[in-house]
Amino acid sequence: MSMSVLSHDEIFRLIKDGSLSIEPFSEDVVRENGLDLRVGSEYAIYAFDGQVIDPCELESARHLFSIVEAKDGRIVIPPRSFALLTTMEYVRFPRDVVGFCNLRSTLARYGLSVPPTIIDAGFEGNVTIEVINNSGNYMVLRPGMRFLHVVLVKTIGEAKYAGRYLGQRGVTPPKGMKNEC
């Protein structure tokens, strides 16, 4: 069986028939083989440094993060650090489409990266994504800039995401894993 990556025309067809929803929608987010989602206006950084964090002991990790509004239209990610960013867009994926997330290659060439991340079939919400600054420089991102390239792939069969992040709005810190370990 082969994987089917959705092209520009197929993505527009899904948007037109209402299977795929992107709000607010701008035609320039639809690319040749995916979506380029834009940076939202808030982000999260660790509130503390040098702590021992054991996800298996936490019911929630929200207290570990400071959620910040972009000051002067800038999100500054310190050297060799990371920030949780959110997309400007609230998306609703069909039950037979998943998204593989990558950073736009132009931003990767500055030393930024994102870990492997999948948007599950049937997911809806703003996408929270970890952006890692691998460089020795302070990197600036701006709300509204295209940053997250999402390759859309058709699944065999359907699924509906039912996890804790369903319907999330804005940047969402990680859940605790106390009941999973």
Side-chain angles (χ1 to χ4, degrees):
M1 294 187 188
S2 64
M3 190 168 54
S4 297
V5 173
L6 304 185
S7 69
H8 177 273
D9 294 343
E10 181 64 11
I11 295 167
F12 268 118
R13 187 189 69 71
L14 291 175
I15 292 168
K16 185 175 182 178
D17 76 15
S19 302
L20 172 64
S21 175
I22 304 167
E23 294 296 329
F25 178 70
S26 173
E27 285 194 14
D28 70 336
V29 302
V30 180
R31 308 306 293 174
E32 298 79 9
N33 63 344
L35 303 170
D36 277 356
L37 300 180
R38 298 169 291 180
V39 176
S41 62
E42 67 178 18
Y43 62 104
I45 55 173
Y46 271 122
F48 311 100
D49 283 330
Q51 302 297 305
V52 174
I53 298 172
D54 182 350
C56 292
E57 293 294 322
L58 298 173
E59 292 199 26
S60 170
R62 188 172 271 307
H63 69 284
L64 299 175
F65 289 84
S66 294
I67 297 177
V68 183
E69 281 291 321
K71 295 177 185 163
D72 302 322
R74 296 164 36 116
I75 296 170
V76 180
I77 305 174
R80 295 172 197 25
S81 185
F82 81 99
L84 298 177
L85 273 64
T86 185
T87 58
M88 177 186 293
E89 293 83 6
Y90 186 95
V91 299
R92 184 175 45 81
F93 271 44
R95 292 179 176 221
D96 62 348
V97 173
V98 298
F100 291 91
C101 298
N102 298 289
L103 194 65
R104 286 186 59 211
S105 64
T106 298
L107 294 171
R109 294 173 193 201
Y110 285 101
L112 299 175
S113 63
V114 296
T117 303
I118 294 175
I119 300 172
D120 291 306
F123 173 83
E124 77 170 81
N126 293 106
V127 179
T128 295
I129 192 87
E130 309 79 23
V131 176
I132 302 163
N133 179 359
N134 300 297
S135 81
N137 303 302
Y138 288 84
M139 297 301 300
V140 176
L141 298 179
R142 297 178 186 275
M145 71 185 291
R146 292 182 299 119
F147 81 113
L148 187 66
H149 185 69
V150 182
V151 175
L152 304 179
V153 177
K154 280 275 195 184
T155 63
I156 297 169
E158 293 188 353
K160 174 70 173 142
Y161 177 78
R164 284 194 209 173
Y165 302 123
L166 185 66
Q168 67 189 7
R169 295 217 178 250
V171 68
T172 305
K175 63 183 182 179
M177 298 177 70
K178 189 169 190 165
N179 298 323
E180 295 180 36
C181 299

